[in-house]
Amino acid sequence: MSKARPEDTDLHWYQKLDKQQQDKLVFTHRKDGSSVRGWGFTERFQSYRDTSNSSFTLTVTGVVHNDSAIYYCRVWGSINGKGTQLIVTDRTDDPVLVQYPPVSKVPEGVTVQLHCALYNASVNVTDVHWYHQRPGNKIEWALSHFVNDSVSRSGGISDRFQSYRNVMNNSYILTISNTSISDTAVYNCSVWNYIYGGGTQLNVTEADEGGSWKVLASILASILILILLFCILVTVICYVKKWACFQKRLTPEGCSIEDQNTVYANVTAETKVNTQAATNATVSEQSEMFYADIQFQRQKTAPKIEVTEETTEYAIIKRTQ
């Protein structure tokens, strides 16, 4: 169990015979230490709690053929374990080989392990033979692993193919390192020269299958993000610079109020007097008009702007004594 403690949890063991029959309650192990067996189950069935490993163990002693079933545990009324299949055979029965995984799809260059579990016999005293069948070809012998740990391979099988024994799980393991496309095949284990496992379909694909497009898409996305960030940064800098310049123009240090006007005029023109008013001995201040060409310039670095005749600006300028 994970995310829960066995001492705080009631656990129930169930037996599943087939899809047609209803699952049977085998044993209930309560958190207070008490236990209850299901109907029809004797003391051969015992449940133990191991708090150090946060687990429960169902022990079946003196197994018989009728004990063959799938056993699974349940907590909280709806959370089930995946189950364990128990196969009970006669001592004189032939061995049973169970291969897993049934299908394996891997890219080139990796290492894969194909398992072959042996029942009703021991791997220590049994030779195992591995066969493979490539697409469109007949089944062919690949290698044999003998009880003395010697290995014999066919001509087309290199030392990339290794066979091991797992005594604890009573199984054989075929390891294929640095896989290639040519390794694609169905692999079968065999004992006693006529008993075969169900086989494992190994599919080896190109290492960059679909990967190059993913890498390219990732690179393009990264470039677009960088461009977007750069544009945002440039925009922010421009606005900050404009704001700073504007603030400086508003209140520049060491400038008078008159100098703070960024646009000023140079009046450099001759004064024209109204001819009618010139005949009078006394020229009133109101009748005297001054015409000037006004040149607009921006302080410091701005270019000089001249007002042409077509866009001449007229101003009434009063002279004070």
Side-chain angles (χ1 to χ4, degrees):
M1 295 179 59
S2 62
K3 300 182 180 180
R5 299 196 310 168
E7 58 267 33
D8 298 332
T9 309
D10 295 336
L11 182 126
H12 312 277
W13 288 100
Y14 285 87
Q15 181 191 68
K16 183 180 184 66
L17 296 174
D18 53 46
K19 295 181 179 179
Q20 285 72 28
Q21 295 185 2
Q22 186 176 1
D23 298 352
K24 296 181 180 180
L25 176 64
V26 179
F27 201 96
T28 295
H29 199 152
R30 296 193 178 99
K31 58 185 178 182
D32 60 5
S34 62
S35 59
V36 177
R37 290 186 185 85
W39 185 85
F41 294 92
T42 66
E43 293 182 354
R44 294 190 303 111
F45 295 83
Q46 297 285 344
S47 178
Y48 300 94
R49 177 189 291 149
D50 188 352
T51 56
S52 63
N53 292 325
S54 189
S55 63
F56 291 89
T57 302
L58 178 66
T59 301
V60 185
T61 58
V63 294
V64 296
H65 275 289
N66 291 338
D67 294 334
S68 297
I70 296 176
Y71 294 85
Y72 65 92
C73 54
R74 175 183 293 175
V75 295
W76 295 5
S78 60
I79 300 176
N80 300 329
K82 293 183 178 180
T84 299
Q85 183 171 8
L86 172 63
I87 302 175
V88 182
T89 61
D90 291 332
R91 293 184 181 273
T92 58
D93 286 346
D94 290 342
V96 176
L97 296 174
V98 178
Q99 289 189 241
Y100 59 94
V103 179
S104 179
K105 183 178 181 181
V106 297
E108 285 183 299
V110 302
T111 298
V112 296
Q113 289 187 339
L114 311 180
H115 298 262
C116 178
L118 177 62
Y119 297 92
N120 204 37
S122 173
V123 295
N124 286 327
V125 295
T126 308
D127 299 334
V128 64
H129 311 280
W130 288 95
Y131 294 83
H132 63 159
Q133 184 176 12
R134 293 188 175 94
N137 296 330
K138 296 181 179 180
I139 187 169
E140 298 176 345
W141 169 70
L143 62 85
S144 295
H145 190 178
F146 302 103
V147 293
N148 61 1
D149 274 341
S150 62
V151 177
S152 178
R153 298 181 178 84
S154 69
I157 299 297
S158 66
D159 57 3
R160 294 189 300 108
F161 292 76
Q162 297 287 341
S163 179
Y164 302 94
R165 283 185 174 88
N166 188 332
V167 179
M168 182 177 296
N169 293 330
N170 201 47
S171 62
Y172 304 96
I173 301 174
L174 177 64
T175 300
I176 307 174
S177 59
N178 194 21
T179 53
S180 63
I181 300 295
S182 61
D183 296 332
T184 297
V186 177
Y187 292 84
N188 296 88
C189 58
S190 173
V191 297
W192 294 12
N193 295 322
Y194 65 91
I195 298 174
Y196 292 85
T200 295
Q201 172 68 58
L202 176 63
N203 297 322
V204 182
T205 61
E206 293 183 1
D208 61 345
E209 182 179 7
S212 59
W213 288 105
K214 293 181 180 179
V215 173
L216 181 59
S218 177
I219 294 175
L220 291 176
S222 300
I223 293 174
L224 290 176
I225 292 174
L226 290 175
I227 293 175
L228 179 61
L229 292 175
F230 178 77
C231 293
I232 294 175
L233 180 61
V234 171
T235 303
V236 171
I237 291 175
C238 290
Y239 275 103
V240 170
K241 187 175 180 181
K242 287 183 178 181
W243 179 84
C245 293
F246 179 73
Q247 294 295 326
K248 188 174 182 180
R249 288 198 302 268
L250 286 178
T251 56
E253 296 181 0
C255 296
S256 61
I257 297 177
E258 292 79 4
D259 292 336
Q260 292 179 14
N261 187 6
T262 58
V263 178
Y264 63 95
N266 289 333
V267 180
T268 57
E270 60 186 46
T271 301
K272 297 182 179 180
V273 180
N274 187 286
T275 55
Q276 183 179 359
T279 58
N280 300 328
T282 303
V283 180
S284 65
E285 186 178 358
Q286 287 76 12
S287 63
E288 194 172 20
M289 302 295 293
F290 299 91
Y291 297 89
D293 288 334
I294 302 176
Q295 299 177 354
F296 291 93
Q297 297 178 348
R298 186 173 297 276
Q299 290 180 352
K300 295 183 179 179
T301 60
K304 183 177 180 180
I305 302 176
E306 295 185 0
V307 181
T308 62
E309 291 183 359
E310 290 78 12
T311 59
T312 301
E313 299 289 341
Y314 296 92
I316 300 177
I317 303 174
K318 295 183 178 181
R319 185 176 62 187
T320 58
Q321 298 298 331

